[in-house]
């Protein structure tokens, strides 16, 4: 409502004096302030805050009258009455200095347009020159205790128990004195008037204040009793007075009355403020509420404040400021919502924790419109801060503190559009909620959670799209914590300060403000103000009843000074601000309040009547004219005692019968009722539908505007500060949109909720149509977002500033710097809980289901469980009807049930868990439900609860279940947590604190760790990796280097039974993956969990690491790694047939068929090129090979140069940098890579289309780069572990014959089991058979491997030779005995004797196929032999 901002401002008096000011009194409009010191009366101006005039009493007069004590202004600001200590009332005339006398004048820069203004313009913005003249003093012959202005009279109370009524002119014959003893006092006005029932002998009035709307005086007697004196007739005379007093109060100290809400606030010596109201039926004083600091929020100070010193209501009567004898300021809203207190937090402590002395206030007063609080600090506090001033010590400058406030626009202009936005007004600026203008009314599809908003935990998903009508997007009003601050135009402000009204439109894009005269409006889209072009028009009107927006129009209820006529005006936002463009409707009476509902304007007038007008825009007119038509007048004078008591008036579609007599869509559109806030009582006037109803269809057109009369008013609620309602409709959220929201001060909020029959059934006759639900809220509500189930507000935040310590510390440094932050709060859980308490579970379910799409709905359910659990589980008395089981049953209706319960439990202390799970169910059962629902993260949370509530064996059993499921689903993060958890359980059983896991915490590089120091490249062919059989023996015995260390570490950990238990589970999972040929999953498993794969594979080499079916394994790898099956291009049959000369044929044979076998062009040994090929071809290939070797260090002679290529893999496998090793060793790089190195050689060679097709086909036969890197990685692992069968399978899919040749060479080793040799041979034969039938693309690779198969056949125990490889024995003998040239010939002979094999593949010509294969094979064999040597 009201919020402190910045630091207090300090006003220094230009006159030095020995006297401290101690009292401040504002004039009726609060433009002038009278400041008293002992013999001095000063008058200050409000803006600018400067001293105008000071009157100093002569020493002789001061001795006669005594020191000044209090002051009071006449209503028209023309006189001041000052009380002096010796019983005198001194009356001063305040004289204006004439038209031309100003103390300050504005100085404008040259050429400023503001110089050319009307003559009267100047006086508004300059402090006028005034003078003070004392009239004859009035002697009352007794010390004066209180002074109060009452209309044309001055009421003075004296210490001898009399009330004196003086006239302002001080004429003696106008004096009347009333003895308090003659005034009858009773507990209420209905008691007999048989004499005073309150003993007032020797009692005088200590403090009093006149209340206009109650027409009486609230008084505090010197014995601490409280009373209210009211005249029974029109004249204020002794025999006509009647008093009521408050029972059981004897410590009153001061009083302040609230005219708008008819409240009397009495300060007490105990430090609390009692707020009383007058019962309208009996006339007795009834306690409405208390204002006091609570021990919960202010444990140090709540009972140490001392008596209440002063109470001041703000000018709009919406808040009250209280100060105590011991210092401090505290602000409450009218019905007790606490807003600010300077006795706690940063106000009371410095940043180093030392306590500040609270500043004591001797007098305070609100400035104009409540933007400032003027306060005079008591002398001790002031002197401490003033010692550093120059000049002689006794003379000093008086100081006044000016606290700055910003307030909600609802305080004075509670129109509907202001209720849907948060709009705060400062003295010269507006604060509004900044959102994206395009989303101001966005459909719910745009309800996306903002990451910077505290409301949305990142785990919650955004709301699902729904097809409802437009609603306010969450992103608009919750997007930022910052305000959009709009500076009010200085030209308007200078002549029309202070701003009295402000309004914002429903989209939050346009603002309008009205000051003393005229108004101005601002657009967020253009960021410009519009002011009246003609300043005379601005100065000739003043806004009296407020502002409101309707579509693109500003609606203004104003008074026209020229015509002396009240008017309703509409100004179009887009046109110039000028009366020529205004729609003007003359009104008969002063307008006090204005509001808009759809196309209707509702006015509340000073004669206590309500007028409804209909507005209709005429589209055809040139300047978009609006017709305004009076629909209805409703007189309320019977019900409203004083027009100033009406706080707000609202037209709504709310009805007591929900959707029964009215159909739902129609209901939201029709103005069904008037809500009137009468001094805090919410009164509802509903249309009377009891008479004969006329159907719309039968209604004749002329009478269409005839509206139904209203029923007599009904009181809905008490202590109401604000009302929110909306005219939007949404079938899916009818509960929230058709409800009425009330802010009720310290009682929190209330919502008048409609109850709907479910599924359109006939409602129960005993079920009421609406229900009033109260709930508490932690923020002061300023706006309600209906569809989003949120309340928006603001709160004061403080920033500490430590000035220089010591006596020189300026007074302002006592206060922290104040800022205003936006806040919001969810209220849905309160409503659901209240409905469940009242056994309205069905309605609660309907309401919750309509809001289940909100992003914070899971949080709502958690809050509801948490609040009920805290209350019930910590209650000292047994609860007869606990609510928690009902809440638990309610939450099971939602899929989030399991997560809600566990989140709530983990945020609650352990002591309450038994109570919680007694209501919601056994955590073991809930854990199993999570596993069945595959919600592993929630199950993990339940595991923590089980660990605390069950014995370790149970939690280990459940942890094992969860661990296995997480392994199966590949939830690696969860697996890591589970490993740590299981280890902690084990260490916990031996009564030692949980150890941090000794194995390295699994990280993204976990599985690659043992590679880090090895000099290998994932892109090399396998023949470079393990240079000979010696390294095989080393590998088979045990890995050395870092991997051996980690194995040691693993085995050292395994001494602990818990680690062994975990290892067993990991081994079991790895075995399953291997048996199911899930190599990709195995690699991820190893890398993510740091599983030592090589050590384990060494153990499993003859068990799980066998390949049972090579064909199935090959197919599975193709599927898992997204690797395409190789194909033979159809054009390969015609490649060489056109070219019969040897040159071209040799190039194509050696180049393209090598690519077909997926081996690299560059790793083969070029010395064994076919001898019958032309020399030019041979030299070209040689040159290419050598150049490439120089470029890429990948030749078999230098394997150690490759280690640099491993590092990128650890970070990101798909980065192109990994390709640096592969690029030149793979055929693809010759196609799309850098051709510069073979430029001079290729200049003679032109590629034909068929060759290009071969190259593109080769590209198509390769899988993704990432898969290739992963396969190479797995290949290394299996090689190091000696799992040769898997190496063969991976070699086949990579179509890397060198790998398979190397494996075959390893099979000769004595360490290799005989059945491994047999398995490899049988597997290759099975692949060969499958390739012949289903996948011809593998035939070229297998053709190259025929000698190896032959070698295998000899090594194997059974010498079963398949028909397709019969000539291989001859080949083997030839190979063993002949030099290299003969090797080639032998191989050629082998190829030539296999026509059936070739024809079983693609139908290529017999003369090409065998020779090609022969050349290919000879090259490969040469490379192989060379490597082993």
């Amino acid at each position: 409502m009201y919020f402190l901002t910045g630091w207090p401002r300090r006003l220094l008096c230009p006159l030095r004096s020995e006297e401290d000011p101690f009292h401040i009194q504002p004039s009726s409009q609060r433009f002038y302030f009278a400041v008293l010191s002992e013999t001095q009366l000063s008058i200050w101006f409000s803006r600018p805050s400067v001293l105008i005039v000071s009157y100093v009493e002569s020493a002789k007069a001061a001795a006669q009258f005594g020191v000044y004590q209090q002051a009071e202004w006449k209503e028209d600001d023309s006189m001041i009455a000052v009380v002096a200590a010796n019983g005198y009332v001194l009356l001063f005339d305040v004289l204006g200095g004439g038209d031309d006398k100003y103390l300050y004048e504005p100085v404008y820069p040259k050429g400023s347009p503001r110089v050319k203004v009307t003559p009267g313009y100047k006086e508004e913005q300059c402090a006028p020159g005034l003078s003070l003249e004392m009239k004859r003093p009035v002697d009352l012959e007794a010390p004066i205790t209180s002074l109060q202005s009452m209309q044309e009279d001055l009421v003075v109370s004296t210490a001898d128990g009399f009330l004196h009524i003086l006239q302002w002119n001080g004429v003696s014959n106008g004096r009347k004195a009333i003895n308090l003893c003659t005034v009858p006092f009773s507990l209420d006005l209905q008691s007999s008037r048989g004499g005073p029932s309150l003993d007032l002998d020797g009692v005088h009035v200590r403090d009093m204040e006149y209340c206009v709307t109650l027409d009486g005086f609230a008084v505090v007697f010197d014995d601490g009793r409280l009373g209210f004196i009211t005249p029974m007739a029109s004249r204020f005379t002794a025999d006509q007075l009647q008093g009521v007093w408050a029972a059981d109060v004897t410590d009153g100290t001061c009083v302040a009355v609230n005219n708008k809400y008819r409240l009397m606030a009495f300060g007490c010596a105990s430090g609390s403020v009692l707020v009383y109201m007058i019962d309208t039926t009996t006339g007795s004083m009834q306690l409405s509420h208390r204002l006091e600091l609570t021990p919960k929020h202010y444990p140090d100070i709540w009972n140490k404040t001392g008596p209440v010193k002063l109470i001041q209501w703000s000018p709009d009567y919406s808040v009250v400021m209280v100060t105590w004898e011991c210092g401090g300021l505290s602000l409450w809203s009218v019905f007790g919502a606490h807003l600010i207190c300077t006795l706690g937090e940063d106000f009371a402590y410095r940043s180093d924790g030392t306590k500040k002395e609270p500043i004591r206030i001797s007098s305070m007063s609100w400035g104009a419109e409540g933007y400032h609080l003027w306060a005079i600090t008591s002398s001790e506090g002031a002197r401490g801060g003033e010692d550093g001033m120059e000049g002689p010590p006794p003379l000093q400058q008086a100081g006044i503190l000016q606290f700055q406030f910003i307030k909600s626009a609802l305080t004075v202009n509670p129109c509907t559009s202001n209720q849907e936005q948060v709009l705060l007004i400062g003295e010269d600026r507006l604060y509004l909620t900044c959102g994206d203008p395009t989303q101001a009314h966005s459909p719910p599809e745009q309800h996306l959670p903002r990451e910077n908003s505290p409301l949305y935990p990142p785990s919650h998903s955004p709301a699902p799209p729904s097809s409802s009508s437009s609603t306010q997007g969450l992103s608009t009003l919750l997007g930022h914590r910052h305000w959009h601050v709009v500076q009010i135009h200085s030209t308007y402000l200078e002549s029309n300060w202070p701003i009295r009204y402000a309004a914002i439109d429903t989209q939050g894009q346009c603002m309008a403000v009205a000051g003393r005269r005229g108004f101005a409006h601002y657009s967020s889209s253009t960021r410009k103000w519009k002011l009246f072009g003609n300043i005379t028009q601005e100065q000739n009107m003043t806004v009296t009843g407020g502002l409101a927006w309707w579509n693109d129009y500003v609606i203004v209820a104003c008074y026209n000074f020229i015509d002396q006529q009240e008017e309703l005006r509409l100004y179009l936002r887009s046109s110039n601000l000028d009366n020529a463009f205004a729609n003007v409707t003359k009104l008969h009476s002063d307008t006090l309040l204005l509001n808009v509902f759809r196309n209707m304007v509702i006015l509340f007038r000073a004669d206590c009547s309500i007028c409804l007008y209909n507005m209709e825009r005429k589209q055809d007119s040139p300047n978009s004219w609006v017709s305004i038509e009076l629909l209805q007048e409703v007189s309320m004078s019977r019900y409203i005692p004083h027009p100033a008591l009406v706080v707000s008036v609202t037209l709504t579609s709310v009805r007591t019968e929900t959707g029964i007599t009215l159909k739902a869509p129609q209901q939201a559109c029709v103005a069904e009722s008037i809500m009137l806030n009468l001094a805090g009582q919410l009164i509802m006037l509903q249309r009377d539908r009891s008479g004969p109803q006329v159907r719309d269809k039968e209604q004749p057109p002329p009478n269409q505007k005839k509206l139904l009369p209203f029923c007599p008013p009904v009181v809905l609620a008490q202590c109401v500060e604000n009302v929110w309602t909306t005219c939007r409709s949404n079938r899916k959220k009818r509960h929230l949109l058709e409800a009425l929201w009330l802010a009720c001060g310290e009682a929190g909020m209330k919502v008048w909720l409609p109850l709907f029959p479910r599924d359109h059934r006939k409602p129960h006759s005993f079920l009421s149509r609406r229900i009033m639900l109260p709930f508490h809220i932690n923020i002061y509500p300023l706006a309600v977002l209906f569809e989003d189930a949120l309340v928006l507000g603001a709160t004061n935040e403080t920033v500490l500033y430590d000035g220089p310590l010591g006596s020189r510390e300026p007074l302002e440094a006592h206060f922290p710097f104040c800022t205003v932050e936006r806040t919001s709060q969810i209220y849905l859980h309160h409503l659901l809980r209240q409905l469940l308490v009242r056994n309205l579970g069905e309605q609660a379910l309907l309401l919750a289901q309509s809001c289940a799409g909100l992003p914070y709905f899971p949080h709502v359910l958690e809050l509801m469980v948490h609040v009920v659990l805290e209350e019930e589980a910590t209650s000292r008395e047994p609860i007869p009807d606990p609510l928690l089981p009902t809440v638990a049953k309610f939450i099971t209706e939602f899929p989030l049930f399991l997560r809600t319960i566990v989140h709530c439990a983990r945020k609650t202390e352990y002591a309450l868990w038994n109570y919680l799970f007694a209501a919601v169910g056994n955590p073991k059962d809930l854990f199993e439900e999570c596993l069945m629902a595959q919600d592993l993260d929630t199950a993990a949370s339940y595991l923590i609860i089980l660990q605390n509530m069950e014995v370790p064996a149970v939690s280990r059993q459940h942890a094992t279940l969860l661990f296995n499921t997480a392994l199966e689903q590949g939830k690696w993060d969860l697996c890591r947590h589970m490993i740590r958890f299981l280890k902690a359980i084990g260490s916990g059983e031996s009564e030692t604190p949980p150890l941090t896991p000794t194995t390295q915490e699994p990280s993204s590089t976990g599985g690659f760790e043992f590679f880090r120091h090895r000099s290998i490249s994932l892109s090399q062919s396998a023949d470079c990796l393990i240079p000979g059989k010696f390294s095989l023996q080393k590998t088979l015995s045990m890995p050395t280097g870092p991997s051996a260390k980690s194995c040691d570490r693993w085995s050292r950990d395994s001494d602990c039974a818990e680690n062994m238990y975990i290892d067993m589970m990991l081994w079991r999972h790895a075995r399953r993956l291997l048996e199911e040929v899930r190599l990709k999953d195995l690699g991820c498993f190893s890398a993510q969990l740091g599983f030592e794969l090589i050590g384990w594979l060494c153990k499993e080499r003859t068990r799980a690491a066998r390949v049972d079916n090579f064909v199935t394994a090959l197919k599975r790898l193709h599927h898992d790694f997204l690797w395409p099956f190789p194909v033979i291009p159809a054009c390969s049959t015609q490649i060489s047939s056109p070219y019969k000369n040897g040159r071209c044929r040799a190039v194509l044979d050696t180049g393209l068929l090598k690519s077909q076998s997926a081996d690299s062009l560059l790793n083969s040994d070029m010395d064994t090129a076919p001898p019958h090929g032309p020399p030019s071809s041979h030299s070209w290939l040689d040159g290419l090979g050598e150049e490439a070797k120089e470029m890429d260090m990948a030749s078999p002679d230098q394997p150690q140069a490759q280690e640099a290529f491993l590092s990128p893999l650890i970070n990101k496998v798909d980065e192109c940098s990994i390709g640096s090793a592969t690029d030149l060793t793979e055929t693809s790089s010759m196609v799309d890579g850098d051709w510069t190195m073979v430029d001079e050689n290729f200049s003679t060679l032109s590629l034909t289309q068929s060759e290009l097709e071969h190259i593109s086909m080769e590209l198509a036969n390769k899988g993704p780069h990432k898969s290739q890197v992963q396969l190479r990685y797995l290949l290394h692992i299996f090689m190091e572990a000696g799992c040769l069968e898997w190496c063969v399978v991976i070699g086949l899919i990579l179509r890397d014959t060198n790998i398979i040749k190397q494996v075959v060479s390893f099979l000769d080793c004595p360490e290799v089991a005989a059945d491994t040799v047999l398995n490899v041979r049988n597997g290759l034969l099975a692949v060969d058979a499958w390739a012949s039938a289903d996948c011809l693309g593998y035939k070229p690779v297998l053709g190259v491997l025929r000698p190896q198969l032959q070698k295998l056949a000899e090594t194997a125990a059974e010498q079963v030779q398949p028909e397709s490889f019969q000539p291989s024995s001859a080949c083997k003998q030839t190979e063993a005995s002949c030099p290299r040239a003969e090797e080639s010939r032998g191989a050629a002979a082998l190829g030539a004797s296999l026509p059936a094999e070739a024809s079983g593949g693609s139908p290529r010509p017999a003369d090409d196929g065998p020779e090609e294969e022969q050349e290919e094979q000879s090259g490969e064999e040469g490379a192989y032999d060379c490597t082993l040597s």
Side-chain angles (χ1 to χ4, degrees), residues 898-1205:
L898 295 164
R899 191 185 305 168
T900 302
I901 296 300
V902 77
H903 283 185
C904 180
R906 291 192 60 188
K907 292 172 190 170
T908 315
E909 55 189 291
Y910 170 69
L912 311 183
W913 284 5
N914 283 327
Y915 188 86
L916 172 66
F917 287 106
V920 300
N922 190 323
K924 286 191 277 194
D925 301 338
L926 300 175
F927 173 86
E928 282 158 19
E929 281 185 49
C930 292
L931 278 189
M932 286 166 62
Q934 300 287 309
D935 188 357
L936 302 190
D937 292 330
T938 307
S941 297
Y942 275 108
L943 203 54
I944 294 168
I945 284 158
L946 284 171
Q947 182 198 9
N948 286 292
M949 296 183 74
E950 301 284 347
V951 293
V954 174
S955 47
R956 182 193 280 112
Q957 176 194 347
H958 286 81
T960 310
L961 270 173
L962 180 58
F963 186 36
N964 286 331
T965 316
L967 282 173
E968 191 51 49
Q969 294 193 7
K971 297 274 182 75
W972 305 121
D973 274 344
L974 185 56
C975 291
R976 285 195 282 270
H977 289 311
M978 294 313 302
I979 291 173
R980 206 165 60 234
F981 181 78
L982 282 164
K983 286 184 178 176
I985 289 182
S987 57
E989 276 180 88
S990 55
E991 297 186 24
T992 56
L995 297 166
T996 50
T998 45
T999 52
Q1000 179 186 342
E1001 187 62 20
S1003 65
S1004 58
T1005 65
F1008 296 96
E1009 186 200 353
F1010 69 94
F1011 262 160
R1012 204 168 281 145
H1013 310 291
R1014 293 178 184 261
S1015 54
I1016 52 172
S1017 159
L1018 295 193
S1019 55
Q1020 285 174 286
S1021 295
D1023 54 357
C1024 320
L1025 302 183
I1026 302 169
K1029 297 177 183 175
F1030 308 107
S1031 69
L1032 176 73
Q1033 291 154 7
K1034 202 160 54 173
T1035 308
L1036 292 182
S1037 56
M1038 193 67 182
T1040 57
S1043 63
K1045 282 182 204 159
S1046 48
C1047 271
D1048 291 344
R1049 185 174 61 200
W1050 193 274
S1051 58
R1052 193 166 59 246
D1053 281 351
S1054 302
D1055 299 343
C1056 166
E1058 205 57 52
N1059 287 341
M1060 195 65 196
Y1061 181 66
I1062 295 165
D1063 292 349
M1064 291 295 288
M1065 284 193 282
L1066 292 172
W1067 294 342
R1068 191 186 313 136
H1069 184 66
R1071 197 174 294 120
R1072 265 194 57 207
L1073 292 177
L1074 212 48
E1075 284 165 358
E1076 295 173 9
V1077 200
R1078 288 162 57 186
L1079 282 203
K1080 186 162 189 175
D1081 292 348
L1082 183 69
C1084 289
F1085 163 72
S1086 160
Q1088 293 284 348
L1089 297 186
F1091 180 69
E1092 188 62 70
L1093 206 49
I1094 295 175
W1096 177 78
L1097 284 172
C1098 286
K1099 297 178 197 168
E1100 296 287 331
R1101 190 187 302 141
T1102 55
R1103 293 187 296 248
R1106 303 285 301 271
V1107 183
D1108 297 330
N1109 185 329
F1110 274 59
V1111 176
T1112 314
L1114 201 56
K1115 287 180 178 174
R1116 180 70 192 247
L1117 290 185
H1118 273 291
H1119 175 269
D1120 285 357
F1121 287 95
L1122 306 174
W1123 201 271
F1125 286 100
V1127 290
I1128 291 183
C1131 62
S1132 66
T1133 55
Q1134 292 96 16
I1135 285 181
S1136 310
S1137 49
Y1139 309 106
K1140 290 299 175 189
N1141 61 41
R1143 169 187 169 131
C1144 284
R1145 199 171 135 214
V1147 173
L1148 291 176
D1149 288 353
T1150 330
L1152 295 172
L1153 275 166
K1154 271 184 115 28
S1155 81
Q1156 203 174 337
S1157 72
D1159 195 26
S1160 67
L1161 269 169
L1162 310 173
N1163 274 345
S1164 52
D1165 194 27
M1166 297 301 173
D1167 297 333
T1168 58
H1172 56 264
S1176 61
S1177 154
H1178 181 70
S1179 63
W1180 176 76
L1181 274 172
D1182 263 342
L1184 175 61
E1186 279 156 23
E1187 280 185 30
K1189 282 178 193 170
E1190 285 163 20
M1191 294 289 292
D1192 174 57
M1193 303 301 288
S1195 80
D1197 306 340
Q1198 298 164 312
Q1200 70 278 8
Q1202 289 298 316
E1203 65 185 319
F1205 288 120

Side-chain angles (χ1 to χ4, degrees), residues 1245-1257:
L1245 178 77
S1246 57
L1247 286 174
T1248 63
Q1249 185 184 358
S1250 55
E1251 294 167 9
L1252 285 171
E1253 282 179 9
H1254 259 277
I1255 293 170
S1256 60
M1257 189 58 65

Side-chain angles (χ1 to χ4, degrees), residues 792-812:
L792 301 185
T795 181
N796 257 119
E797 296 292 334
T798 49
V799 182
L800 266 179
Y801 164 76
D802 283 345
L805 293 174
S807 61
R808 292 165 174 268
E809 186 177 45
L811 212 49
E812 302 93 298

Side-chain angles (χ1 to χ4, degrees), residues 409-424:
L410 293 172
T411 52
V412 281
N413 194 30
C415 63
T416 309
S417 58
N418 282 1
Q419 294 172 340
E420 298 191 9
Q421 307 277 342
V422 179
L423 175 64
L424 303 181

Side-chain angles (χ1 to χ4, degrees), residues 371-685:
Y371 295 125
H372 296 118
L373 181 81
W374 297 55
I376 295 178
T377 52
S378 54
S379 53
E380 313 90 79
R383 283 220 172 85
E386 305 294 349
D387 287 347
M389 294 287 178
E390 299 142 6
L395 289 183
Q396 61 188 21
Q397 283 181 292
I400 299 172
L401 282 186
Q402 209 181 55
F403 294 92
Q404 300 171 70
F405 285 86
I406 56 178
K407 61 177 186 171
S408 165
L410 293 172
T411 52
V412 281
N413 194 30
C415 63
T416 309
S417 58
N418 282 1
Q419 294 172 340
E420 298 191 9
Q421 307 277 342
V422 179
L423 175 64
L424 303 181
I425 329 169
E427 179 188 21
D428 58 354
R429 63 198 66 192
L430 301 174
Y431 295 76
L432 53 139
T433 48
C434 51
D436 183 354
T438 58
Q439 292 193 348
H441 272 270
S442 58
E445 287 90 61
Q446 292 172 331
H447 280 209
L448 295 175
R450 291 286 183 103
E451 285 162 18
N452 60 347
S453 173
L455 270 173
Y456 309 115
S459 58
H460 297 336
S461 57
S466 60
S467 56
S468 65
S469 67
S470 72
T471 165
Q472 213 146 19
L474 281 175
S475 49
T476 308
L477 292 166
L478 295 175
H480 319 268
R481 294 199 65 178
H482 303 293
W483 297 97
H484 183 52
V485 182
V486 177
Q487 197 78 28
I488 296 172
H489 201 288
S490 55
T491 307
Y492 180 76
L493 207 57
E494 276 173 14
S495 52
N496 299 293
W497 183 91
I499 298 300
R500 290 180 171 154
Y501 301 97
I504 188 168
D505 69 344
T506 45
Q507 271 78 31
Q509 293 302 297
C510 303
M511 282 68 70
V513 295
R516 215 181 316 181
R517 300 281 173 96
F519 75 97
H521 62 81
Y522 173 87
S523 165
S524 292
S525 51
T526 62
R527 305 204 166 208
K528 286 185 178 173
W529 282 94
K530 270 194 184 173
L531 276 60
F532 274 96
N534 183 344
I535 201 162
T536 317
Q537 293 183 1
E538 178 188 276
Q539 296 298 313
N540 283 336
M541 66 175 276
T542 181
V543 177
T544 55
L547 304 158
W549 285 91
W550 173 70
N551 298 341
D552 275 343
Y553 290 88
V554 191
I555 304 176
V556 183
C558 61
Y559 182 77
N560 183 340
F561 287 105
I562 293 183
D563 299 347
Q564 298 192 348
Q565 168 78 49
E566 194 75 23
E567 293 175 344
L568 180 69
R569 298 187 186 179
L570 273 75
Y571 292 87
L572 183 62
R573 176 173 66 88
S574 52
S575 61
N576 288 341
L577 196 47
D578 193 291
N579 291 348
F581 302 109
N583 287 81
V584 181
T585 307
K586 296 199 181 305
L587 305 175
H588 307 300
S589 174
D590 291 1
T591 307
L592 300 181
L593 288 164
L594 168 149
N595 211 337
V596 176
F597 175 86
R598 293 193 176 268
N599 293 334
M600 296 170 78
V601 178
I602 179 168
L603 303 179
F604 177 75
R605 307 192 306 197
D607 59 1
C608 294
S609 65
I610 291 171
C611 292
L612 301 180
Y613 288 87
N614 184 62
M615 298 176 292
E616 196 178 337
R617 187 169 179 170
K618 304 290 186 191
Q619 295 291 352
D620 48 0
S621 59
N623 49 5
S624 57
W625 183 66
V626 178
S627 73
I628 299 176
E629 181 185 355
L630 178 65
L631 295 179
Q632 204 168 1
E633 278 197 53
V634 185
S635 174
M636 296 289 295
S637 51
R638 296 171 53 192
Y639 310 108
I640 298 176
H642 195 290
L645 297 174
V646 177
V647 180
S648 69
V649 60
T650 314
L651 204 55
T652 74
S653 55
V654 172
R655 277 185 66 76
T656 45
E657 295 85 19
T658 52
I660 296 157
T661 54
L662 277 174
K663 293 188 177 64
Q666 179 195 358
Q667 180 187 350
C669 306
V670 179
E672 279 299 323
S673 54
I674 294 172
M675 297 287 171
L676 207 66
N677 186 348
L678 176 65
Q681 273 194 338
L682 187 66
I683 294 174
M684 176 183 186
L685 288 85

Side-chain angles (χ1 to χ4, degrees), residues 134-194:
M134 189 199 278
K135 300 182 69 177
R136 195 164 57 83
V138 180
D139 184 7
L140 296 180
E141 299 168 359
I144 296 169
T145 58
S146 179
L147 175 74
Q148 181 70 34
S149 175
M150 180 187 72
Q151 290 148 6
E152 290 302 308
D153 295 325
L154 197 59
V155 180
V156 186
S157 67
T158 51
D160 55 4
F162 278 86
L163 285 179
H164 300 268
I165 295 163
L166 308 179
Q167 292 182 354
W168 271 101
N169 57 14
V171 178
S172 55
N173 61 11
R175 286 175 52 181
K176 302 170 192 148
I178 299 164
N179 190 342
L180 279 181
C181 298
T182 63
V183 177
F185 270 85
S186 56
L187 280 173
D188 59 55
L189 294 179
Q190 292 175 337
S191 306
S192 62
R193 298 195 53 184

